[in-house]
Amino acid sequence: MSAIVVTGLTKKFGTLTAVNNVSFTVPEGEIFGYLGPNGAGKTTTIRILTGITAPTAGTAAILGHDIVEETLTARSHMGIVPETSNIYDDLTAWQNLMFTAELYRVGKAEREKRAQELLETFQLLDRKDDKVHGFSKGMKRRLTLAMGLVNDPRLLFLDEPTSGLDVQSNLIIKDVIRDLNDRGVTVFLTTHNIEEANTLCHRVAIINRGTIAAIDAPERLKQAIQSVQSVELAFDHMGTEVLEMLHRIPNVNEVRKEGDRVRLYTPDPGSVLEAAMASLKVQGIRPLSVNTLGPSLEDVFVKLTGLDRGHNRDPKGK
């Protein structure tokens, strides 16, 4: 059985079409990433799939249950971790878990057992009797995820789970996601963190302006746009004149400065590398490191959504 089956899903708000005829299937046991720029339709899709918002057209089934016709049954199989916190600050961590478990009708003995385990997993057990208003953002996020798991769901919806978190919380949450998936839980993940999707997800869907631009495994998406290859250089002198010189090399489509390195985007990395090394030698500039790189998932995302990397471009604005 598929965990999620979406067919022709459409959601309109007046004249605005937030989700436009979207279709996809998520098999059980998959970590499925849902990527897109702000306003692309990610959160609207999650709100439909979790029964919060009704679609204008199309259907969505959760583990065989129509989300509109069988909302309560469908929701009983899922855990939901929204982007905005659903924690009650004036309750303790333990009380928040107990309240959430009661909403899911989890029996007393089971909810206490699961709450104990989850607080330990998320390294919050020593704070279980503390009111949440004193928790850091990372601790609150970990508690929110624990609340989404208290009913032992088969399908977990995560909306931007690691956005703006400290390193410790980020690592804990990623480890928990992998562990849940190893135990057979299906995960539907929306994220702005493209590297997170690249390392966690079996497949990703890229949505832009309410429409799916592509769905595939991250590596296959990268292979599909080999035109976005690059040469990466680091050298002991990097001024404006050097960036301008590199941009004049034939077959260089874009020059990006990334910290102490420069990436030259090109469909022909071999010829660009040869020309770049020759130009640097003439200028008396010594390269410290040289790499040729295939496209990243970020490159795929930028190409398919048409986003502009203008803030990272060279001084000439090309």
Side-chain angles (χ1 to χ4, degrees):
M1 180 187 297
S2 297
I4 304 172
V5 178
V6 172
T7 306
L9 204 62
T10 298
K11 180 62 179 180
K12 296 184 178 182
F13 298 97
T15 59
L16 172 67
T17 302
V19 177
N20 186 16
N21 196 31
V22 164
S23 299
F24 59 84
T25 298
V26 179
E28 284 194 270
E30 183 172 76
I31 302 178
F32 185 79
Y34 206 58
L35 279 66
N38 288 333
K42 302 189 301 297
T43 297
T44 300
T45 303
I46 274 199
R47 288 176 65 84
I48 293 170
L49 295 180
T50 55
I52 297 170
T53 299
T56 305
T59 61
I62 304 297
L63 293 162
H65 302 284
D66 186 279
I67 192 60
V68 174
E69 301 296 331
E70 304 171 86
T71 306
L72 291 179
T73 303
R75 284 176 67 97
S76 70
H77 295 297
M78 65 176 75
I80 305 168
V81 181
E83 182 177 8
T84 54
S85 174
N86 59 348
I87 296 173
Y88 291 96
D89 280 356
D90 290 331
L91 298 181
T92 66
W94 183 263
Q95 288 169 336
N96 269 284
L97 283 166
M98 291 300 101
F99 177 69
T100 304
E102 286 182 44
L103 291 178
Y104 279 103
R105 298 181 179 179
V106 179
K108 185 175 185 297
E110 180 63 20
R111 65 175 176 256
E112 290 182 351
K113 175 176 177 290
R114 286 199 56 76
Q116 186 84 7
E117 292 171 348
L118 288 165
L119 288 170
E120 187 172 0
T121 296
F122 288 104
Q123 299 182 18
L124 294 171
L125 190 58
D126 61 336
R127 301 292 299 272
K128 76 183 187 74
D129 296 320
D130 295 347
K131 290 188 176 181
V132 175
H133 64 70
F135 284 16
S136 68
K137 180 178 179 180
M139 292 168 65
K140 287 182 177 181
R141 197 64 182 151
R142 282 182 262 157
L143 179 58
T144 302
L145 187 47
M147 290 161 64
L149 294 170
V150 76
N151 63 322
D152 196 18
R154 293 169 60 188
L155 170 61
L156 181 64
F157 286 97
L158 299 175
D159 196 1
E160 302 287 349
T162 60
S163 179
L165 295 189
D166 60 276
V167 174
Q168 180 191 16
S169 295
N170 201 315
L171 291 174
I172 290 171
I173 288 173
K174 287 181 180 178
D175 285 345
V176 169
I177 291 171
R178 291 190 182 100
D179 181 62
L180 287 169
N181 186 245
D182 287 343
R183 292 192 277 119
V185 177
T186 306
V187 179
F188 186 99
L189 169 73
T190 75
T191 179
H192 284 97
N193 187 330
I194 295 173
E195 183 57 27
E196 182 174 79
N198 188 44
T199 57
L200 282 177
C201 298
H202 300 115
R203 286 189 307 146
V204 296
I206 296 176
I207 183 170
N208 188 37
R209 298 178 182 176
T211 302
I212 298 290
I215 300 179
D216 213 331
E219 289 303 318
R220 283 199 288 270
L221 285 174
K222 296 175 197 176
Q223 293 168 11
I225 60 160
Q226 286 300 321
S227 61
V228 193
Q229 299 175 88
S230 61
V231 173
E232 183 184 77
L233 301 164
F235 30 83
D236 55 8
H237 172 72
M238 190 189 305
T240 302
E241 70 282 358
V242 175
L243 296 175
E244 292 177 349
M245 178 265 292
L246 292 172
H247 207 295
R248 290 194 294 269
I249 294 173
N251 291 320
V252 171
N253 297 328
E254 182 183 351
V255 176
R256 289 182 65 196
K257 185 175 180 297
E258 299 179 339
D260 63 346
R261 294 160 294 134
V262 173
R263 284 184 74 179
L264 313 179
Y265 284 85
T266 173
D268 188 0
S271 68
V272 166
L273 178 58
E274 185 178 357
M277 296 301 290
S279 297
L280 291 170
K281 185 175 182 180
V282 169
Q283 297 292 324
I285 299 172
R286 182 171 64 91
L288 300 177
S289 67
V290 178
N291 290 294
T292 56
L293 305 172
S296 66
L297 189 57
E298 179 180 340
D299 298 325
V300 177
F301 183 85
V302 169
K303 187 175 181 67
L304 293 178
T305 60
L307 291 179
D308 187 3
R309 283 198 182 102
H311 63 286
N312 285 323
R313 291 192 177 190
D314 69 281
K316 296 172 68 176
K318 293 187 178 179

